Every structure is written in structure tokens, then in C-alpha cells.
Amino acid sequence: MYKARIMVGVLAAGAALGALPAGAAAWADGGSGASPKAACWTDAKIDGKQWVRTFDKAFANPNYLKCGSHVGYLYQGSNYVFCKKWGQEHSGEHGTNHWWLYTDLDQGAKRGWVSAYFLTGPGNSDDKAVDVNGKTIKTCSKVY
């Protein structure tokens, strides 16, 4: 028990200094191992919102490369997104899309990446991502 407390203290100090390998911060916070969020999570700078419509409940990933398991959902209907990033292909019966949209989620984690595959409306088709006004969704200016 005493060794575990020392290890958690060392890991917490490393997390504060940014010197931990991916996944170690989750363990330092009391987790039992590397979490998908700690190992794969990618955030983006928020520079405003653009409104979109989704044709179905869309799953969200911790990043645009589909690393880790789903972290939540964006419900069907009107939603806003912050920006887009080119990433892992998502395909289905309605086409293929490589754009991933950073947004606030309706269920699960606070934020995540949803494939532009789920967008509906004029101008949205294979590898396109436009808002409800037909404007191209802006590319994320900073991803970290």
C-alpha cells in the first residue's frame, strides 16, 4: 500500500510536469490502467461554432484517427461543431468521409470527434463537410 501511494505521487508529479507516457496520467488519478481518453484524446482550439444537421445518432471518438473506443454520442438533428480535421475514413451505406468534427456531445464525454459522414443537407457527400448554410466547416486551427 505504501509503495502504491509513492508511485501515485510520482506519477501525479510527472503529470504536472508533462513528463508522463500516454495513459499514465489516468493511473495517477486513481484509475486501474490506461484509459482511452488518456492514451488517445485530442482536443482542438475553439474558434466559434457552425450549425449542422445529422441524419442519425452519431458516435464520437476521442480523436479523428479513431484511436480508442467510442466516448459518447451526438444526437440526430441540429447540432453545432467547432471545426474539422482530416482523419481516419468512415464508410457506410451513405458514402465515405475522412473529415472529423470537434463538438460538444449530447451523451457521454463532454467533447469528442464525430465523423462528417453523419451530416445531412445540400453539399454534404463523400469527403465534404458543410454547415446548414452551405458553408464549408472551418479546419481546426490548432489540435493538441
Side-chain angles (χ1 to χ4, degrees):
M1 181 68 166
Y2 182 72
K3 288 182 183 179
R5 286 186 191 161
I6 291 174
M7 182 56 100
V8 169
V10 169
L11 289 171
L17 297 173
L20 287 179
W27 195 86
D29 290 337
S32 60
S35 72
K37 180 174 179 175
C40 302
W41 206 267
T42 303
D43 290 316
K45 182 178 178 186
I46 296 173
D47 296 323
K49 299 176 184 175
Q50 286 180 269
W51 287 91
V52 298
R53 284 189 192 91
T54 52
F55 66 81
D56 200 357
K57 182 178 177 181
F59 65 87
N61 286 326
N63 69 32
Y64 49 91
L65 299 174
K66 292 170 63 174
C67 174
S69 56
H70 302 320
V71 296
Y73 294 92
L74 187 66
Y75 295 148
Q76 176 182 355
S78 293
N79 296 285
Y80 59 84
V81 298
F82 302 119
C83 59
K84 68 180 181 179
K85 179 79 175 159
W86 188 262
Q88 185 73 31
E89 175 184 292
H90 178 80
S91 297
E93 65 181 89
H94 301 289
T96 300
N97 208 305
H98 286 86
W99 289 111
W100 288 81
L101 312 169
Y102 189 62
T103 189
D104 287 333
L105 302 177
D106 295 317
Q107 179 184 346
K110 179 179 179 182
R111 293 197 174 123
W113 296 86
V114 174
S115 175
Y117 168 87
F118 293 99
L119 295 183
T120 188
N124 282 310
S125 59
D126 287 347
D127 282 334
K128 301 248 184 337
V130 299
D131 66 14
V132 294
N133 298 314
K135 292 184 179 180
T136 300
I137 295 170
K138 64 185 167 193
T139 302
C140 300
S141 62
K142 183 175 180 182
V143 177
Y144 47 93

